Amino acid sequence: SLEALEKEFEQESGASNTFAIQTAGDVLRIGGKERLGRFLAQALFQGRLHKEIRGMSPTLAPYDSTYSTRPALMGRPLRRGDIIQFMLPQSFASERVMEREDSGRACGSRFLFENKDRMRIGRIIGLPGDRITLEDGFVTLGGKKANYTRHRKGVSTQHVYNERLPGSAKAHTIRIPHASAVAREQAPSSHVIVPEDELFVLFDDRAFMTDSRCWGTLPTAHIDSVVHTFGFGLDEDTGSYDWSQAFGPL
């Protein structure tokens, strides 16, 4: 129990009001019950304001905020459809892009020279062992095509769909500019088998192709957190905060 850990640590170090939590042979020392509470709250609900976010429209827009949790604290394994925050280290991204055929068409020249050491956000499409076929932004997983229906609620743009992946009970909203012949030419169909301990990640706006179509599958070690709750948005017309979706699930 935490009380036992507290007493044990006090006896060892003479410190008071301090906890020592041991996990996998490592000791994490946290000062006081209040600090422990703050530590757990921050680990479970990491808030982030996305001043600049590319590729996750119509799910997220610039200046939307979200809450996320470390994968180890989710209490469940990662699932298809989860939104994740992840890092794409410069050395990893550059090496993957250089070794992948046709990645240049998906990545674009700007990606090769941009700073990749920043937090990114995307959606898990494939888990380890999944066989994925991607054509014009539409997903086929293990020979089963994802279910697509037109999304009309509150969306005025074309090519917006509800996508439900095979084996998933929940649909999410995506944008696929499939009507463009240029987009079809720039996004050839691809076939991927997801390696162990890696994931296939796509943006919800499939026009932005600097995702797994560009740099390949993502090692799970690069995941920062799983995004699960919507915070507030920003009404661009009035400049005021929009709380209409606050604390709704993502």
Side-chain angles (χ1 to χ4, degrees):
S1 66
L2 292 177
E3 289 77 12
L5 286 170
E6 179 184 19
K7 291 179 181 179
E8 181 180 347
F9 184 67
E10 286 181 13
Q11 291 174 357
E12 291 179 357
S13 64
S16 60
N17 197 27
T18 307
F19 290 107
I21 299 178
Q22 184 166 353
T23 57
D26 296 324
V27 175
L28 175 64
R29 293 175 178 175
I30 306 170
K33 292 182 179 179
E34 292 184 0
R35 291 186 181 180
L36 176 62
R38 288 197 296 270
F39 168 80
L40 293 175
Q42 290 173 0
L44 291 170
F45 294 96
Q46 300 181 72
R48 182 177 293 273
L49 176 65
H50 304 278
K51 292 184 178 181
E52 295 183 9
I53 184 166
R54 302 180 63 195
M56 287 304 290
S57 172
T59 305
L60 295 171
Y63 288 93
D64 279 350
S65 67
T66 59
Y67 293 95
S68 59
T69 296
R70 299 287 187 185
L73 299 176
M74 284 293 292
R76 63 168 177 81
L78 294 170
R79 298 171 181 168
R80 300 182 193 94
D82 279 346
I83 298 176
I84 57 172
Q85 293 185 143
F86 60 94
M87 298 293 292
L88 200 64
Q90 184 84 25
S91 57
F92 162 80
S94 299
E95 181 179 342
R96 282 290 182 91
V97 169
M98 295 300 292
E99 69 185 17
R100 283 173 54 82
E101 295 182 4
D102 294 330
S103 63
R105 283 195 286 177
C107 296
S109 58
R110 287 182 59 187
F111 179 80
L112 296 176
F113 299 99
E114 74 174 26
N115 177 25
K116 303 175 186 64
D117 294 321
R118 59 182 175 85
M119 193 68 69
R120 297 169 185 265
I121 187 168
R123 190 180 298 274
I124 297 175
I125 300 298
L127 300 173
D130 283 348
R131 293 183 295 109
I132 297 172
T133 301
L134 191 67
E135 187 169 4
D136 293 345
F138 293 98
V139 174
T140 300
L141 203 156
K144 297 181 179 180
K145 188 173 182 179
N147 180 266
Y148 294 93
T149 57
R150 288 281 187 177
H151 182 88
R152 303 182 185 279
K153 182 179 178 182
V155 178
S156 59
T157 56
Q158 300 183 61
H159 316 311
V160 176
Y161 296 85
N162 295 318
E163 177 183 67
R164 184 165 62 235
L165 300 170
S168 176
K170 183 180 178 182
H172 48 266
T173 307
I174 63 171
R175 178 177 283 109
I176 302 179
H178 67 282
S180 169
V182 175
R184 283 199 297 269
E185 182 179 349
Q186 292 179 346
S189 61
S190 57
H191 307 275
V192 178
I193 298 178
V194 183
E196 185 177 357
D197 296 326
E198 299 198 10
L199 303 166
F200 191 84
V201 179
L202 292 179
F203 293 139
D204 283 354
D205 189 340
R206 303 286 160 83
F208 289 88
M209 295 189 292
T210 52
D211 47 27
S212 283
R213 290 169 290 180
C214 166
W215 35 259
T217 50
L218 176 74
T220 54
H222 294 335
I223 297 176
D224 173 80
S225 56
V226 180
V227 180
H228 52 72
T229 306
F230 191 86
F232 59 81
L234 183 69
D235 190 321
E236 295 184 4
D237 295 329
T238 63
S240 60
Y241 291 113
D242 177 10
W243 294 92
S244 61
Q245 301 184 74
F247 306 110
L250 279 169

